[in-house]
Amino acid sequence: MSLQPGLVPTEREPIPKNFAFGTANFPWTKRARTWEQMTNLSKPLRAWLAETFELMPASLVLNQQSADVTDKLLLELGDRSLIETVIIRVPQDGVGLDHSRKTICISTQVGCAMGCVFCASGLAGLKRDLSAGEIVAQLLHVCYREDVRTPRARAELASFDNIVVMGMGEPLANYDALIRALTIVNAEWGLGFGARRITISTSGLVPKILKLAEEPLGFRLAISLHGATDEVREKIMPINKAFPLAKLIPAVQTFSEKHGRMITLEFILIEEVNDSLEQAEKLRDIALDLHAHVNLIPYNTVEGLPWKRPSLTRQDRFAKILSDRGVSVTLRREKGHDIDAACGQLRLKTEKDREFTASEVANIE
Ligand code: SAH
Ligand code: SF4
């Protein structure tokens, strides 16, 4: 039996013969949130569906908005696990915030097993993988939120411009569910969202990068490098022991040759860890070698961790070493700093203090 897109079966039962496959687009185009709303189906069929499939495996528990342009949705899953989805608005000249470009950042796991020392997501290890339905559900919740918020959203099926798989978890460690979810998001009967507007970020699982290179859908790839030598990278990212730069860089090369696209190297700047000018020079050489874009991200402080972001002058000096040699580089002035936008931070805080006050709970439904 092939499962219906985006749905999580509660029981393994055969789909009845009179099931209307045309209803597959109801959760998308019509934003149906219950089986009951699919009024083109008979009542008994809707009742059977409701008993058999869970239509929406996540519920919104907190919607936190920052003073800038970032919105964070905290979602609760069936087992009470919490995941985060972030909406990043990029204001543009001449159009209001409602019409600005939007990037959605989604999670793929509850927690993370990779153990990067600077990251809030990995602090408590991996709890579990998300199902394809749970990954897709995050985007539907964004659609619900935007449908009521902006006129643009009401006019479009997917009212956002880009998806980045950079939330909680290591996406390539949950490979099958990730690809299934993104295939649904891309499908014509789903959100019809172009694969080239979807970026998958990985800490560097080499075999899975090579597998991803073979996928028919051409997703974009971002690598969390964070260290331009094995010595520095190994100190902060344990995965570097299994897949050092000598393995990672050729895999990235293979991916970019296959897809003919520029890949992105992400580099968090952490004071006195990886912000030396020597690291900048090494990073510049890697970027030139790979024809990669470099995204410099000033570190976002995590409660309980000792790491800090370097001064603005130091950040600029680091960036200049790259740009002077023609590397395409952006120095991100972090958005959403005031709402703990870095991966896993909101969940971490919420789990520490699971009881929300009523005023904190924004019910936007
Ligand atoms: N696991 C994947 C995707 C999720 S992490 C990966 O590591 O690529 C998304 C990005 O956020 C990664 O580049 C990660 O290194 C970065 N990140 C994690 N903690 C951060 C922090 N405190 N400040 C800034 N960026 C952080
Ligand atoms: Fe996991 Fe990415 Fe955080 Fe590393 S940076 S612990 S891989 S979520």
Side-chain angles (χ1 to χ4, degrees):
M1 168 181 107
S2 73
L3 299 175
Q4 281 304 288
L7 310 179
V8 179
T10 50
E11 272 174 61
R12 291 213 165 248
E13 277 192 31
I15 293 178
K17 283 204 179 69
N18 59 345
F19 185 86
F21 279 88
T23 56
N25 65 4
F26 256 68
W28 310 96
T29 49
K30 305 235 190 275
R31 302 279 201 256
R33 298 177 73 165
T34 62
W35 290 109
E36 200 46 45
Q37 289 169 340
M38 300 189 194
T39 46
N40 64 333
L41 301 178
S42 72
K43 269 200 166 227
L45 180 55
R46 277 183 270 160
W48 178 86
L49 286 164
E51 270 168 31
T52 314
F53 296 105
E54 198 180 332
L55 188 56
M56 174 44 70
S59 54
L60 180 73
V61 289
L62 188 68
N63 174 17
Q64 198 175 40
Q65 289 178 45
S66 71
D68 61 20
V69 288
T70 309
D71 249 88
K72 195 150 195 168
L73 309 184
L74 189 68
L75 302 175
E76 188 176 74
L77 307 176
D79 62 354
R80 294 205 75 209
S81 292
L82 296 170
I83 53 167
E84 304 173 5
T85 308
V86 184
I87 306 171
I88 305 152
R89 301 176 207 280
V90 186
Q92 287 156 282
D93 290 344
V95 298
L97 205 55
D98 285 350
H99 292 273
S100 60
R101 293 180 69 79
K102 276 172 249 172
T103 295
I104 313 303
C105 177
I106 57 172
S107 297
T108 51
Q109 296 183 310
V110 184
C112 184
M114 308 313 290
C116 306
V117 299
F118 49 79
C119 177
S121 290
L123 279 182
L126 174 69
K127 189 167 167 197
R128 70 170 172 88
D129 284 338
L130 297 187
S131 67
E134 288 166 335
I135 296 172
V136 166
Q138 297 171 63
L139 293 160
L140 281 176
H141 273 283
V142 170
C143 291
Y144 302 156
R145 157 122 188 84
E146 295 302 291
D147 284 351
V148 293
R149 222 193 76 91
T150 79
R152 173 186 159 188
R154 285 190 290 276
E156 289 175 21
L157 189 56
S159 64
F160 38 84
D161 305 279
N162 296 292
I163 297 171
V164 291
V165 190
M166 291 187 185
M168 203 191 329
E170 168 48 54
L172 297 189
N174 186 14
Y175 192 91
D176 293 346
L178 171 78
I179 298 300
R180 186 159 175 239
L182 296 182
T183 304
I184 292 168
V185 167
N186 174 259
E188 251 174 57
W189 46 259
L191 278 184
F193 196 85
R196 284 173 174 249
R197 291 195 283 152
I198 303 175
T199 303
I200 300 171
S201 173
T202 178
S203 57
L205 282 173
V206 166
K208 295 292 166 60
I209 293 172
L210 295 171
K211 195 169 174 192
L212 192 65
E214 300 301 324
E215 291 293 337
L217 291 176
F219 304 113
R220 285 173 176 267
L221 181 68
I223 303 290
S224 289
L225 201 65
H226 311 331
T229 52
D230 282 328
E231 195 202 349
V232 169
R233 195 166 191 263
E234 205 169 281
K235 277 191 199 142
I236 53 177
M237 300 182 73
I239 190 177
N240 197 71
K241 293 199 180 80
F243 303 114
L245 296 174
K247 288 189 177 157
L248 178 59
I249 291 168
V252 177
Q253 188 88 57
T254 303
F255 185 95
S256 70
E257 275 165 15
K258 199 108 199 165
H259 290 275
R261 302 295 301 249
M262 201 179 221
I263 65 110
T264 299
L265 300 174
E266 294 168 273
F267 204 93
I268 316 177
L269 291 170
I270 312 175
E271 190 179 74
E272 282 176 27
V273 173
N274 62 2
D275 64 338
S276 71
L277 302 185
E278 191 210 340
Q279 282 288 299
E281 284 162 9
K282 291 260 166 34
L283 175 60
R284 173 196 65 197
D285 295 345
I286 295 173
L288 287 171
D289 200 32
L290 290 171
H291 303 289
H293 173 79
V294 175
N295 197 5
L296 298 174
I297 312 153
Y299 182 65
N300 215 345
T301 335
V302 175
E303 206 182 304
L305 295 181
W307 323 104
K308 284 193 284 200
R309 56 172 62 178
S311 68
L312 289 180
T313 325
R314 194 145 180 98
Q315 293 174 25
D316 288 337
R317 274 179 65 196
F318 195 100
K320 194 166 179 303
I321 288 178
L322 285 97
S323 58
D324 275 354
R325 280 283 303 281
V327 174
S328 154
V329 58
T330 41
L331 174 57
R332 198 155 87 193
R333 296 283 178 226
E334 197 68 37
K335 293 196 165 49
H337 198 61
D338 62 326
I339 58 156
D340 309 311
C343 78
Q345 284 177 274
L346 181 64
R347 163 183 172 256
L348 193 74
K349 256 193 191 160
T350 310
E351 288 207 322
K352 276 191 198 148
D353 178 19
R354 185 98 201 199
E355 298 305 311
F356 312 113
T357 59
S359 63
E360 276 179 309
V361 179
N363 186 350
I364 57 151
E365 291 169 34

